Amino acid sequence: MNKKIKHTEVFQSFNIIVFGGDGDLAFRKIYPALFHRDQDQQLLCPYNIIAITRKNPTEFDFHAQLIHFINDSKERETSSLSIDNFSNKVKLIQIEDTKIENYSELVEYLNSFTNYQNIYYFSTPSSAFGPIAKSLKKVGLIHVTSKVVLEKPLGYSLSSSNEINKEITQAFDEHQIYRIDHYLGKETVQNLMVLRFANNLFERAWDSEHIDNIQITVAETLGVEKRAAYYDNSGALLDMVQNHLLQLLCLVAMEPPHELGADEVRNEKLKVLRALRPFTRETVQKDTVKGQYTRGTIQGEEVQSYLEDIEKFGSKTETFVAIKTYIDNWRWKDVPFYLRTGKRMFKKYSEIVINFKEVRHNIFPSKEKLNNNKLIIRLQPEERIELVQMTKIPGPGGYRYKPIALKLDYIDSFKERFPEAYERLIIDVIRGNQTLFMSQDELQEAWNWIESITSNWNSTTQSNILYESGTWGPGGDVLDEGSSWITKSWREE
Ligand code: BG6
């Protein structure tokens, strides 16, 4: 079990065993991802998909739902025959609970394939991860080539996350564990690495000498949908910042790794997380804002308040959070990083804005303000990169200028279909490439920093600021002077 082997070259054939196999994530993301990779001829090796369910859906209902979601995910011509063929590959096995006698059908099925790697995909609540891993080990289904994919949330605190890790590592080694953060599978997020490390231009100016501040925003129009119980335990900080926003921050702020190996990249990200300045009682009040949505209108449709959505009055869970933080290292000395995310906002968009410093001296006679350069990396929904620069307005009569953006729209430059994040990540699991998955060390450091916020939120009187659904969230006159940075820097559209 301890010997590290290169999976890619040795094992082509695989079984992917999805626990929580009739769950929302499995239907919406995992099966469609496998289907599309299959369509693109990337799964030419023999493989099987096994959906593990606790209840017993009929084969007919399960496959009808599977076909429905695959049809839903189609963005291209696909024959119904290929969807049927794929759907027939998914075998249903019921395992009611983790008692090992319930695993006999799975054992028998998996053991009928020799030289297949088994990929266990845990898409259940994380409280079930440990018990499932333990049962798999007991029934002898974990081999040196086996892997496990863990879906978030990996706990609700540092200690619960460590507890899960302890249980998982009693069955799997770290090199077999794939902690998924789907943001790392997004094309535009991966392009961040190329933008930074394949272009000399930007890297030269990527530091506190040239950059004034960096802003990372993930705004959503969705509310909590059908996940009230989960979300009310997490809130925006744990649901989005602890994983997705911190991962984006790491990619923006890390040093160049010497090559693109998993250890190299993850070690550089880890250094960023370690250098994040922890919050104190004073700084948490000054530099964090949390909010909760009330009723409002989004794209012409009236929506309920958070409390109505979760049917639990009095909940103090935040659905919006904004944080100003610093990375205490040589490169980023005194550069504020603003992280913002919220549900039921005015519009859905995710972007990273690098705000460069102003030029040192204005030589132009009008002395009109010279706006600073901005590099805007729009992650979604329209993937593009903009470089905002000052440009002369044509005409005689002296120098007049205004900011204009050089734009690179992904959609115009690349005609091919962009694979969904899960497609890329699942292929990486099959191939044994851990670069885009979080290491346990990263997770632990992220929790340390997050807990410097939660512990101080809990010990102070800081409460949610209510914001109307369909707006830009808390801001303006409801905030005190100290936090006015929060609205100042939203992008003007
Ligand atoms: C998930 C969160 O991880 O990411 C959800 O649990 C959120 O609350 C989702 O809606 C956002 O992902 P995306 O890809 O739509 O930006």
Side-chain angles (χ1 to χ4, degrees):
M1 168 87 72
N2 282 327
K3 207 163 150 272
K4 196 165 174 175
I5 68 154
K6 275 204 158 182
H7 305 277
T8 329
E9 291 124 38
V10 187
F11 290 89
Q12 293 296 322
S13 316
F14 66 92
N15 296 311
I16 182 158
I17 305 104
V18 185
F19 286 83
D22 54 350
D24 203 50
L25 186 87
F27 281 127
R28 277 181 202 284
K29 300 288 183 189
I30 303 172
Y31 304 135
L34 286 161
F35 170 76
H36 287 294
R37 288 301 88 213
D38 187 294
Q39 288 298 291
D40 281 350
Q41 313 259 301
Q42 243 181 336
L43 305 180
L44 290 174
C45 55
Y47 72 95
N48 301 294
I49 305 170
I50 302 102
I52 308 289
T53 64
R54 290 182 65 202
K55 292 185 227 101
N56 193 7
T58 64
E59 291 273 344
F60 178 80
D61 288 348
F62 179 87
H63 284 102
Q65 221 175 335
L66 183 60
I67 290 170
H68 163 80
F69 278 103
I70 291 180
N71 268 318
D72 228 31
S73 75
K74 275 195 322 188
E75 306 129 351
R76 54 180 169 179
E77 275 305 301
T78 320
S79 72
S80 54
L81 181 66
S82 53
I83 298 183
D84 283 349
N85 285 344
F86 177 83
S87 157
N88 289 335
K89 277 186 98 62
V90 185
K91 182 177 169 55
L92 207 51
I93 293 185
Q94 188 195 3
I95 299 183
E96 245 180 86
D97 54 40
T98 47
K99 286 198 199 103
I100 53 168
E101 54 272 26
N102 293 336
Y103 279 70
S104 53
E105 189 183 348
L106 182 65
V107 174
E108 198 182 322
Y109 184 75
L110 294 182
N111 285 347
S112 64
F113 301 98
T114 37
N115 267 3
Y116 275 50
Q117 56 163 322
N118 289 335
I119 299 170
Y120 300 102
Y121 200 124
F122 291 2
S123 174
T124 63
S126 56
S127 54
F129 290 180
I132 298 173
K134 198 168 165 189
S135 305
L136 287 172
K137 189 175 176 193
K138 262 201 190 147
V139 296
L141 279 182
I142 303 179
H143 312 295
V144 66
T145 56
S146 304
K147 294 166 188 163
V148 63
V149 184
L150 305 179
E151 269 295 339
K152 70 177 257 270
L154 291 169
Y156 289 91
S157 61
L158 177 62
S159 65
S160 60
S161 160
N162 281 345
E163 196 47 43
I164 293 169
N165 189 56
K166 200 167 122 202
E167 292 174 334
I168 292 289
T169 49
Q170 277 163 11
F172 296 92
D173 284 346
E174 180 66 20
H175 76 271
Q176 297 175 297
I177 305 175
Y178 292 74
R179 299 176 190 85
I180 226 164
D181 182 319
H182 78 279
Y183 264 60
L184 294 180
K186 289 182 191 274
E187 280 297 331
T188 30
V189 174
Q190 285 165 33
N191 189 39
L192 261 176
M193 298 275 259
V194 177
L195 183 80
R196 283 198 57 197
F197 303 129
N199 292 292
N200 211 4
L201 181 67
F202 297 120
E203 198 47 31
R204 297 283 155 139
W206 213 259
D207 58 20
S208 58
E209 214 182 303
H210 301 92
I211 291 177
D212 187 73
N213 67 75
I214 294 184
Q215 306 185 12
I216 302 177
T217 304
V218 178
E220 298 186 272
T221 48
L222 287 180
V224 291
E225 310 307 297
K226 292 182 185 144
R227 302 190 306 157
Y230 153 75
Y231 195 88
D232 204 46
N233 262 326
S234 301
L237 186 71
L238 269 48
D239 184 48
M240 296 295 289
V241 181
Q242 194 269 349
N243 35 72
H244 307 325
L245 275 86
L246 280 186
Q247 286 295 319
L248 294 179
L249 177 137
C250 285
L251 293 180
V252 170
M254 73 186 197
E255 295 300 317
H258 89 271
E259 59 177 25
L260 216 52
D263 289 346
E264 288 75 10
V265 172
R266 300 196 306 180
N267 282 343
E268 293 306 338
K269 289 197 290 165
L270 182 62
K271 287 185 207 158
V272 174
L273 293 167
R274 287 199 172 133
L276 269 177
R277 189 180 297 174
F279 283 89
T280 62
R281 212 179 145 80
E282 287 70 42
T283 57
V284 94
Q285 284 185 302
K286 190 160 66 70
D287 290 342
T288 73
V289 172
K290 52 180 178 159
Q292 193 185 77
Y293 63 80
T294 60
R295 287 180 185 181
T297 309
I298 295 189
Q299 281 137 18
E301 225 177 87
E302 284 186 18
V303 295
Q304 305 193 114
S305 68
Y306 174 70
L307 296 181
E308 287 166 318
D309 277 348
I310 62 161
E311 296 176 353
K312 186 173 149 197
F313 296 92
S315 166
K316 299 206 172 3
T317 300
E318 80 288 348
T319 59
F320 172 97
V321 64
I323 297 167
K324 179 183 185 182
T325 189
Y326 294 89
I327 297 172
D328 287 327
N329 66 13
W330 193 286
R331 188 189 280 259
W332 296 116
K333 186 172 164 42
D334 294 337
V335 177
F337 283 74
Y338 298 100
L339 309 180
R340 276 185 293 249
T341 183
K343 292 219 179 268
R344 289 276 189 242
M345 310 293 291
F346 175 68
K347 68 188 264 193
K348 175 178 170 77
Y349 83 96
S350 306
E351 71 177 18
I352 300 171
V353 180
I354 317 288
N355 276 310
F356 289 91
K357 288 188 169 161
E358 284 179 26
V359 292
R360 287 169 200 205
H361 170 67
N362 186 344
I363 62 163
F364 299 99
S366 70
K367 297 292 175 222
E368 227 179 281
K369 185 174 160 43
L370 288 163
N371 290 36
N372 51 344
N373 295 124
K374 276 180 205 282
L375 178 66
I376 301 168
I377 304 158
R378 173 66 67 103
L379 306 175
Q380 56 187 27
E382 334 71 20
E383 293 95 346
R384 70 164 177 260
I385 293 173
E386 287 175 45
L387 180 62
V388 182
Q389 43 150 25
M390 294 306 286
T391 310
K392 182 179 178 299
I393 301 171
Y399 281 91
R400 288 173 305 125
Y401 34 78
K402 67 172 191 178
I404 293 190
L406 287 174
K407 282 192 196 169
L408 182 149
D409 268 295
Y410 252 53
I411 207 92
D412 296 338
S413 309
F414 302 99
K415 301 291 176 214
E416 57 265 46
R417 168 182 178 268
F418 299 166
E420 227 268 326
Y422 276 85
E423 295 178 41
R424 164 74 194 251
L425 295 174
I426 291 176
I427 288 292
D428 279 357
V429 177
I430 297 167
R431 289 185 175 154
N433 182 354
Q434 287 184 306
T435 311
L436 297 178
F437 298 84
M438 281 183 293
S439 67
Q440 175 61 16
D441 293 343
E442 280 179 80
L443 196 64
Q444 232 170 342
E445 286 304 332
W447 274 118
N448 276 333
W449 182 78
I450 287 284
E451 289 209 338
S452 76
I453 301 177
T454 49
S455 61
N456 284 301
W457 272 355
N458 294 340
S459 70
T460 61
T461 51
Q462 187 164 352
S463 52
N464 282 323
I465 297 171
L466 298 179
Y467 63 95
E468 199 182 319
S469 289
T471 66
W472 285 115
D477 44 0
V478 284
L479 290 172
D480 62 24
E481 266 297 284
S483 306
S484 57
W485 50 266
I486 183 145
T487 38
K488 252 195 226 159
S489 30
W490 282 114
R491 246 186 101 200
E492 284 148 27
E493 293 277 333

